[in-house]
């Protein structure tokens, strides 16, 4: 029987020491570790797939649903995908040490704001084995030490991946404890991370469903960077181009319905609803989407189901869309302020002033003009990957890549100045 | 009798509405409000001083110490100082709407990261009336709404200042509730702000002593940006210039002993302690500073008191300095990692490599080379003012001016792109 409390406390101490040692490593060494990790994952394909087969066997035995088993399952293509993701992160510029600003105020001091790692990140995720490689790569790129806690269903797969990480980190000369995976399935380990491991954890990142993130946010004693949900809106303005409105709305809802950037509510300007809504709705219906509208929307598209109040607050993650007629930009902004989750909103319009009023009025992490909410993704933003999309307003907002996993310090160079 | 819970809840709702309305105001309007505020403070000098006299009378009656009464007392010169501070903040560039970055990834989207206000800030401070004007000015400059809670001892003075703020905000056409002062002394109001006012407060900023900040950090349900203490170190490297070491150390400790940037521990490289410490110590002793040293330091300066373990963790805020002999940069970094508070540390050296190793190894908000820790100040950094110095690693670190009171959103401009 493992003493989980002692194990976790020891992991915290080692992570803190690794974080201190990582500060002295070079960007080249971190890139080297990432490049080796990509190769190492390819070389260990057989071991990783064998471990994954054990996870799947256990999952079947404990009656996990087919959908969850699919999420857990690895294939040669998925292992290759992990390696490519790590290579993409390796190709990103190393953020550590970058000068964000440098200036000389009246006192003559040379002041630079320089990016630094945050320290130790605690990442808690569900049963997607690829997150083990992704999270490790983003933490290494940003110079942070990591304590990774995977869902218990993917522990065997994650241990196989963590073994590759440990080997490549050592080969590149980085601290051996730079990335540690919690090696046991006990739920007590999650509580230990949430407690902050005696101050060793600087930031907790939950990556997973709403209930996981909500638990982490309510129980954590250390700061948390997480997103609760993506209740995204697309607003069709009176000045929308019909062709853009049709293509973008269909993509925003139906490209993948299970991602946090999928549009969940369509808002349509009353002034052009008769022109815009029927063809947009026809495309969605043809693609298999269920529409739930208010009375005015249903008057234009009679096949719609009647929307209830709960529909404005539902992140369906399914081929269902709520539809509401609003009074122009201000009506759309009011609806989003009341019901939105601060994630991602789009306006479709040819009117630049309307676009600006929408962008100013909506207080969300991402505001898109004439394009699809499904672009809410660190990869699409050019970040080489993401550990999640933050709906917090503090520290980092929107996609969280390596740069967003840094903080800064001020480096002040003087020549013996004293303060008067 | 006031229903404090209802009052606070109403203030929260009005602050949220004001924050939404502030998003539609122009930088010019915010500058106009600040300029009017500076003039308004000068014009209301008589009313402000009369209100302050009532505060002082109450404070005397309740037996407040002379030191605390001095902190509370306003004079014509101090009112003028408030006006000048507001003018300095008015002259700062408005951070809202500034493009922090703009790029086009492979998908052809035009992505901009744009500064935005955080929303509603709850500022809790002690009995310094000038903070009412300072905090209001920094919140207005950054486009945030504010709920200000002053120490009960300065409530009359703060109400007089808040009346000027309300008038000038209205004259400039900003939302009337942009800056609200809690108008009652009940301690229940602090608890209400810490509860987050039903989600209306985005960020709580405690400005005051260690016990206030610690209470806020432990009880707050909303994010907190605060600094716990400034346990600052100055390290004299073997390669230090003696003249710089003498002038900078004396300034770092003795310029003002009560500020958070005052040096509390002097670390001296063993390799040059005999050369550096005696003259540096003589200057400090001559200036009235008590020295508490380890055995090696006392061997060089016999008049030193013996330092106890508690001296390495004491923020004296007094003319007292602990002194320790260490093994070069790595010894200094080890000591600071173990005992420091992550605020500000300085190295005195002519060796650029030693300076770089110190800067890389020390994980503090501000690292200074060959200059005084007393420069840890937003005004000295050119921020026009500060609401405090953050020792948190997340969101903002070091001096917190108007720019640090912002967040960002992504503004993505497309031409009908859909995601493949």
């Amino acid at each position: 029987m493992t003493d989980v409390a002692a194990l976790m406390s020891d992991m915290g101490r080692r992570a803190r020491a690794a974080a201190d040692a990582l500060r002295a490593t070079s960007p080249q060494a971190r890139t080297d570790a990432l490049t080796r990790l990509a190769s190492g994952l390819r070389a260990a394909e057989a071991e990783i797939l064998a471990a994954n087969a054990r996870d799947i066997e256990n999952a079947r035995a404990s009656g996990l649903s087919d959908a969850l088993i699919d999420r857990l399952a690895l294939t040669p293509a998925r292992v290759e995908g992990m390696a490519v993701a790590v290579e993409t992160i390796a190709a990103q510029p190393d953020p550590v040490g970058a000068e964000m600003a440098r200036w000389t105020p009246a006192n003559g001091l040379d002041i630079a704001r320089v990016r630094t790692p945050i320290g130790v990140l605690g990442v808690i995720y569900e049963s997607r084995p690829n997150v083990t490689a992704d999270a490790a790569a983003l933490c290494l790129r940003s110079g942070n030490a990591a304590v990774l806690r995977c869902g218990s269903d993917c522990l065997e797969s994650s241990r196989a991946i963590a073994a590759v990480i440990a080997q490549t980190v050592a080969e590149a000369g980085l601290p051996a404890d730079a990335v540690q995976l919690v090696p046991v399935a006990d739920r007590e380990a999650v509580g230990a991370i949430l407690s902050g491991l005696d101050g060793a954890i600087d930031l907790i990142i939950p990556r997973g469903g709403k209930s996981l993130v909500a638990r982490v946010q309510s129980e954590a004693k250390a700061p948390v960077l997480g997103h609760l949900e993506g209740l995204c809106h697309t607003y069709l303005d009176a000045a929308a181009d019909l062709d853009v409105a049709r293509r973008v709305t269909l993509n925003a809802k139906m490209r993948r319905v299970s991602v946090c950037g999928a549009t969940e509510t369509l808002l349509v300007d009353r002034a052009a609803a008769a022109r815009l809504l029927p063809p947009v709705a026809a495309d969605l219906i043809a693609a298999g989407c269920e529409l739930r509208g208010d009375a005015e929307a249903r008057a234009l598209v009679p096949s719609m189901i009647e929307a209830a109040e709960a529909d404005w607050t539902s992140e369906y993650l399914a081929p269902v869309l709520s539809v509401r007629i609003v009074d122009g930009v201000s009506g759309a902004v009011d609806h989003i302020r009341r019901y939105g989750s601060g994630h991602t909103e789009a306006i479709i319009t040819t009117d630049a002033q309307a676009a600006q009023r929408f962008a100013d009025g909506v207080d969300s992490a991402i505001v898109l003009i004439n394009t699809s909410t499904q672009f809410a993704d660190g990869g699409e933003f050019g970040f080489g990957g993401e550990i999640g999309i933050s709906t917090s307003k503090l520290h980092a907002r929107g996609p969280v890549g390596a740069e967003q996993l840094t903080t800064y310090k001020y480096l002040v160079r003087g020549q013996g100045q004293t303060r008067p």
Side-chain angles (χ1 to χ4, degrees), chain A residues 110-125:
Chain A
D110 170 5
I111 303 183
R113 188 189 285 132
V114 179
R115 278 197 197 285
T116 66
I118 291 172
V120 177
L121 310 184
V123 185
I124 302 174
Y125 51 103

Side-chain angles (χ1 to χ4, degrees), chain A residues 14 18 21-22 25 28-38 40 136 140 161-180:
Chain A
R14 291 195 288 149
L22 271 169
T25 62
Q28 292 74 19
R30 294 190 289 272
T31 301
D32 182 35
L34 292 169
T35 309
R36 286 170 188 272
L37 176 53
L140 289 174
I161 295 164
V164 178
I165 297 169
Q167 188 186 335
T168 53
V169 158
E171 284 170 8
L174 299 189
D177 295 321
V179 178
Q180 299 175 80

Side-chain angles (χ1 to χ4, degrees), chain A residues 124-141:
Chain A
I124 302 174
Y125 51 103
E126 294 171 337
S127 295
R128 295 180 191 272
N130 65 301
V131 177
T132 306
D134 259 24
L138 285 168
C139 289
L140 289 174
R141 179 75 297 166

Side-chain angles (χ1 to χ4, degrees), chain A residues 17-352:
Chain A
D20 285 339
L22 271 169
R23 253 190 283 283
T25 62
S26 67
Q28 292 74 19
R30 294 190 289 272
T31 301
D32 182 35
L34 292 169
T35 309
R36 286 170 188 272
L37 176 53
S39 316
L41 289 169
R42 290 189 178 106
E45 184 194 290
E47 292 89 327
I48 293 170
L49 292 179
N52 188 245
R54 294 196 294 278
D55 274 336
I56 291 175
E57 196 178 327
N58 292 337
R60 288 235 166 80
S62 60
L64 215 65
S65 74
D66 284 352
L68 289 177
I69 286 176
D70 177 64
R71 193 173 76 169
L72 167 62
L74 292 176
T75 60
R78 285 186 178 182
V79 174
E80 173 62 20
M82 273 195 273
V84 170
V86 171
E87 280 171 341
T88 308
I89 293 166
Q92 288 286 307
D94 192 284
V96 179
E99 268 185 15
M100 305 163 70
R102 188 163 176 173
W103 69 97
T104 296
N107 56 28
L109 295 172
D110 170 5
I111 303 183
R113 188 189 285 132
V114 179
R115 278 197 197 285
T116 66
I118 291 172
V120 177
L121 310 184
V123 185
I124 302 174
Y125 51 103
E126 294 171 337
S127 295
R128 295 180 191 272
N130 65 301
V131 177
T132 306
D134 259 24
L138 285 168
C139 289
L140 289 174
R141 179 75 297 166
S142 51
N144 291 292
V147 173
L148 307 179
R149 159 68 191 199
C150 68
S152 55
D153 296 321
C154 73
L155 183 57
E156 292 285 332
S157 318
S158 295
R159 287 177 73 151
I161 295 164
V164 178
I165 297 169
Q167 188 186 335
T168 53
V169 158
E171 284 170 8
L174 299 189
D177 295 321
V179 178
Q180 299 175 80
L181 176 74
V182 176
V184 296
D186 306 61
R187 292 180 65 83
E188 195 184 340
V190 175
I193 294 176
L194 295 184
S195 77
L197 298 178
D198 306 317
I201 302 267
D202 291 301
L203 180 65
I204 299 174
I205 301 177
R207 176 162 170 169
K210 192 169 163 177
S211 64
L212 169 69
V213 180
R215 180 190 165 196
V216 168
Q217 291 191 323
S218 79
E219 293 181 24
K221 300 291 179 213
V224 175
L225 192 66
H227 82 82
L228 264 175
E229 56 185 334
L231 191 65
C232 305
H233 299 76
T234 294
Y235 163 64
L236 308 181
D237 186 58
D241 177 274
L242 176 59
D243 179 56
V244 170
R246 289 177 67 164
R247 287 189 297 109
V248 169
T249 306
L250 184 65
N251 184 265
K253 177 72 238 181
M254 297 300 288
R255 174 185 161 272
R256 282 181 65 189
V257 298
S258 63
V259 297
C260 61
T263 287
E264 305 292 9
T265 299
L266 179 67
L267 302 171
V268 186
D269 192 346
R270 178 169 290 119
R275 174 175 73 91
L276 297 168
L277 183 54
V280 167
D283 292 345
L284 289 160
I285 292 165
C289 184
E290 177 185 316
L291 302 181
R292 302 183 187 174
D294 68 355
E296 282 184 81
R298 295 175 69 219
L300 293 167
V301 183
S303 67
M304 276 188 203
I305 297 168
E306 188 176 348
E309 179 70 13
D311 282 300
W312 312 125
T313 56
S314 293
E315 186 186 23
Y316 302 115
L317 300 173
V320 179
L321 181 71
S322 55
V323 183
R324 186 169 218 174
I325 307 298
V326 295
D327 269 327
V329 168
S330 65
V333 167
D334 285 348
H335 180 97
I336 292 167
R337 274 190 193 155
R338 179 156 176 202
Y339 298 107
S341 64
H343 192 292
T344 297
E345 333 293 345
I347 179 174
I348 311 300
T349 188
T350 57
D351 176 348

